[in-house]
Amino acid sequence: MIFWIAAFALAAIAALVVLWPLHKDGAETLDRADGALAIFNDQLAEVDRDAARGLISSAEAEAAKIEIKRRMLSADKDRSSVRGSGGAMVLVVMAALIPLGGALVYSVTGSPGTPSIPFAQRSAEQQVGSDLAVLTERLETRLNAEPDGGETQGWELLATTYMNMSRFDDAVRAWERVVDRDDATSATLSQYAEALIAAEQGVVTPKAEKAIDRALQLDPLNPAGTYYKAVALEQAGQTPEARRIILERIAAEGQPQPWMEVFLREANRMGAEFGLEPVGLPAFENAPRGPTEEDVAAAQDMSVEERMDFIRSMVAGLAERLKDEPDDLQGWLQLARAYAVLGQREDALAALQSAQPLVADLPEDDPQRVTVEQGLAELSGK
């Protein structure tokens, strides 16, 4: 009986929540797309964090954000709202059917008298974690057994897995197997530093700072290296210097990058301690030219066919501009991505071929060079 009283009370509260909008004057709109948009915003923030940590390249981050924003536009276009008397009727029906339906289903399949199951007896939940632990142990055993000390990619995979499992000490141990190798990159060292910092609950130890300095020696533009160096400086009481290197790293770019939002938030947080005005992104001269706010607003009212024609016209305009600006590497990469989205593989291949000479002098691990080379290999079938 106590269970059913509690269930009835919860059902009544749920019904009030559903019907509450009817209390508002003008019957405010209930938007079922808000949840999707919130998820997309979280995904954008996650991409920024991964880019700042060096887990993905700037080109990969930009491509991911473009796709997420495209889905956000689609979700915003497809919003359906409940208004007026018709919406009120829908809400009333929902408020009545949800608790009734729940009670009906529970009366058939539920069992309120059944005691809860201790976690120790939840075999399915434990099996997932157990399987992952077994796989990681097997991987580590195999890597340790290899005469050459195990391949670098294997140790990096193991370290990343340990980080995802919050086994930070084990992640540090895995990274230490590769950070002194000849093929260690700036990203390797910055991820090693991240593991060291996580293992010390956010404190940048001298060992972590040494790894950060080595990462920046290999690549002074490594965003993750700059970020953790700023963390180290701030913890050492050098907040103005930490803020300075963050802002200088932003200014060193020729176009906006996904990680800049995180950098700006940190710079403004530090600046607020000294009463400094918030700063925004600089006006990048080499930033890719995309649609204006008016273009985006207009696209939201278009049909699917009209929107595709609009996109093709934007792509054609970019291709025409690049004829006069053939040295615009970001423009060629943007054009290649646009053609790939439209399914025009040959045009995407041609755009990457135009970009290829522009990345020839870049380091082999430069994200832009990697993007061009991987795209050429994929599209040419090599």
Side-chain angles (χ1 to χ4, degrees), residues 6-21 91 94-96 98-99:
F8 177 79
L10 290 174
I13 293 172
L16 287 175
V17 171
V18 173
L19 294 173
W20 176 252
L91 290 177
M94 288 175 59
I98 289 175

Side-chain angles (χ1 to χ4, degrees), residues 325-352:
E325 302 176 20
D327 294 332
D328 183 0
L329 173 57
Q330 290 301 322
W332 287 116
L333 294 177
Q334 184 183 17
L335 183 63
R337 285 192 295 271
Y339 279 140
V341 171
L342 293 173
Q344 299 174 219
R345 293 176 59 89
E346 293 183 0
D347 291 328
L349 177 61
L352 290 175

Side-chain angles (χ1 to χ4, degrees), residues 40-365:
F40 291 141
N41 281 321
D42 287 343
Q43 290 176 344
L44 288 173
E46 182 64 23
V47 170
D48 287 340
R49 288 192 293 270
D50 288 347
R53 292 162 56 192
L55 299 181
I56 59 177
S57 68
S58 58
E60 292 170 333
E62 182 182 357
K65 291 188 73 173
I66 289 173
E67 175 61 19
I68 293 171
K69 289 179 180 179
R70 182 188 67 78
R71 295 180 182 179
M72 291 177 73
L73 285 175
S74 177
D76 189 62
K77 174 65 179 177
D78 295 337
R79 286 176 178 238
S80 62
S81 300
V82 180
R83 292 186 176 92
S85 60
M89 181 59 67
V90 171
L91 290 177
V92 171
V93 172
M94 288 175 59
L97 289 182
I98 289 175
L100 289 176
L104 178 62
V105 171
Y106 191 79
S107 66
V108 176
T109 63
S111 182
T114 301
S116 61
I117 302 176
F119 178 74
Q121 299 177 19
R122 300 176 190 170
S123 58
E125 294 181 28
Q126 294 184 77
Q127 189 64 41
V128 175
S130 176
D131 288 346
L132 182 57
V134 169
L135 290 174
T136 53
E137 289 175 5
R138 288 178 181 174
L139 175 58
E140 185 166 5
T141 299
R142 181 179 67 79
L143 291 170
N144 281 318
E146 293 181 3
D148 59 353
E151 60 181 6
T152 297
Q153 290 183 338
W155 284 111
E156 290 177 344
L157 173 61
L158 182 65
T160 302
T161 303
Y162 279 141
M163 286 293 290
N164 292 334
M165 297 169 68
S166 296
R167 294 171 59 176
F168 304 127
D169 289 330
D170 291 328
V172 168
R173 183 167 46 80
W175 282 119
E176 286 177 342
R177 297 297 299 267
V178 296
V179 290
D180 291 323
R181 295 185 178 183
D182 293 337
D183 59 353
T185 66
S186 178
T188 302
L189 288 158
S190 61
Q191 290 180 80
Y192 171 50
E194 180 183 7
L196 286 168
I197 295 170
E200 295 296 331
Q201 299 181 339
V203 176
V204 182
T205 62
K207 182 186 288 189
E209 189 164 10
K210 181 179 178 180
I212 294 167
D213 291 338
R214 288 180 59 197
L216 291 174
Q217 287 175 0
L218 290 175
D219 180 9
L221 296 180
N222 181 342
T226 302
Y227 177 83
Y228 290 120
K229 184 63 176 179
V231 172
L233 288 169
E234 185 178 20
Q235 290 183 2
Q238 303 178 49
T239 301
E241 178 67 9
R243 182 175 181 272
R244 182 187 65 80
I245 68 169
I246 284 179
L247 294 178
E248 285 184 353
R249 180 61 188 88
I250 293 175
E253 285 291 328
Q255 64 171 341
Q257 299 292 343
W259 45 264
M260 289 182 178
E261 182 179 346
V262 176
F263 275 43
L264 278 178
R265 183 171 64 245
E266 291 300 298
N268 287 326
R269 178 185 60 78
M270 296 175 190
E273 297 180 13
F274 301 94
L276 300 177
E277 292 293 326
V279 296
L281 285 179
F284 295 101
E285 295 181 0
N286 299 327
R289 302 172 196 174
T292 64
E293 293 183 5
E294 291 76 12
D295 291 332
V296 174
Q300 293 178 359
D301 296 327
M302 295 178 181
S303 65
V304 175
E305 293 78 9
E306 291 173 336
R307 192 176 302 167
M308 290 304 297
D309 290 339
F310 169 75
I311 294 173
R312 291 191 179 94
S313 69
M314 295 291 295
V315 173
L318 175 59
E320 192 66 26
R321 177 175 69 78
L322 289 172
K323 292 180 181 178
D324 299 325
E325 302 176 20
D327 294 332
D328 183 0
L329 173 57
Q330 290 301 322
W332 287 116
L333 294 177
Q334 184 183 17
L335 183 63
R337 285 192 295 271
Y339 279 140
V341 171
L342 293 173
Q344 299 174 219
R345 293 176 59 89
E346 293 183 0
D347 291 328
L349 177 61
L352 290 175
Q353 289 171 340
S354 298
Q356 190 173 23
L358 303 178
V359 300
D361 296 331
L362 296 178
E364 292 186 0
D365 61 347

Side-chain angles (χ1 to χ4, degrees), residues 20-42:
W20 176 252
L22 297 181
H23 179 69
K24 304 278 187 179
D25 291 337
E28 294 179 356
T29 300
L30 298 177
D31 192 346
R32 71 186 183 192
D34 285 343
L37 293 175
I39 292 174
F40 291 141
N41 281 321
D42 287 343

